[in-house]
């Protein structure tokens, strides 16, 4: 099972639901961090910030 989170209230609700469902089914859960580049996607595509893209959030 996979769920993406961004920190928004809706994504945190989705995470809670995914945790409950994964536990109920006995399945592993993979949580992905979804983010949008602060400078916008078009500029990011031209000059990607590799540090931000590879950042791991705990």
């Amino acid at each position: 099972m996979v769920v993406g989170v961004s920190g928004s209230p809706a994504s945190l609700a989705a995470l809670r639901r995914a945790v409950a469902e994964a536990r109920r089914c006995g399945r592993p859960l993979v949580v992905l961090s979804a983010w949008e580049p602060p400078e916008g996607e078009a500029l990011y595509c031209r000059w990607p910030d590799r540090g931000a893209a590879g950042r791991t959030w705990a």
Side-chain angles (χ1 to χ4, degrees):
M1 184 172 289
V2 177
V3 64
V5 295
S6 65
S8 71
S11 74
L12 297 177
L15 176 59
R16 285 191 292 275
R17 175 77 185 257
V19 167
E21 188 67 17
R23 285 181 178 160
R24 186 181 71 76
C25 296
R27 302 278 186 188
L29 177 64
V30 176
V31 181
L32 302 175
S33 176
W35 65 280
E36 183 176 330
E39 66 276 0
E41 188 175 345
L43 185 58
Y44 180 80
C45 287
R46 291 179 70 189
W47 294 290
D49 179 355
R50 300 288 181 214
R55 197 169 291 145
T56 303
W57 305 99

